[in-house]
Amino acid sequence: MSENETATPTRHVIGLVLAVLAIVVVVLIWNFGLHYLNGTIFEELRYVIFAVVVIGLLSGLHNLLSRFDR
């Protein structure tokens, strides 16, 4: 988006909705997803795996939204 263009309110609402959905997904993964690693060889790496999944989720969302900004 160039400096002369202004973002429409619809774009802001879509961005806010997607941000809230991303927060909900991260909270759900934190509350329920970490328990799936109990009893596996990855049990001690659960927080590293959580961080990698969250970074991947947010990076994917950023890449998806940046395609619509062009």
Side-chain angles (χ1 to χ4, degrees):
M1 193 165 56
S2 69
E3 293 177 9
N4 295 334
E5 294 180 24
T6 58
T8 61
T10 306
R11 280 185 154 177
H12 289 292
V13 171
I14 291 171
L16 288 173
V17 167
L18 288 175
V20 168
L21 287 176
I23 291 170
V24 168
V25 169
V26 168
V27 169
L28 288 175
I29 291 171
W30 178 259
N31 285 333
F32 301 111
L34 295 179
H35 299 294
Y36 288 112
L37 296 175
N38 289 342
T40 66
I41 59 174
F42 303 110
E43 185 173 8
E44 293 185 10
L45 295 173
R46 71 175 68 203
Y47 300 115
V48 174
I49 294 170
F50 172 76
V52 169
V53 168
V54 168
I55 290 170
L57 172 77
L58 295 176
S59 296
L61 184 62
H62 179 265
N63 286 337
L64 179 70
L65 290 177
S66 68
R67 290 182 185 200
F68 293 116
D69 194 28
R70 294 181 192 166

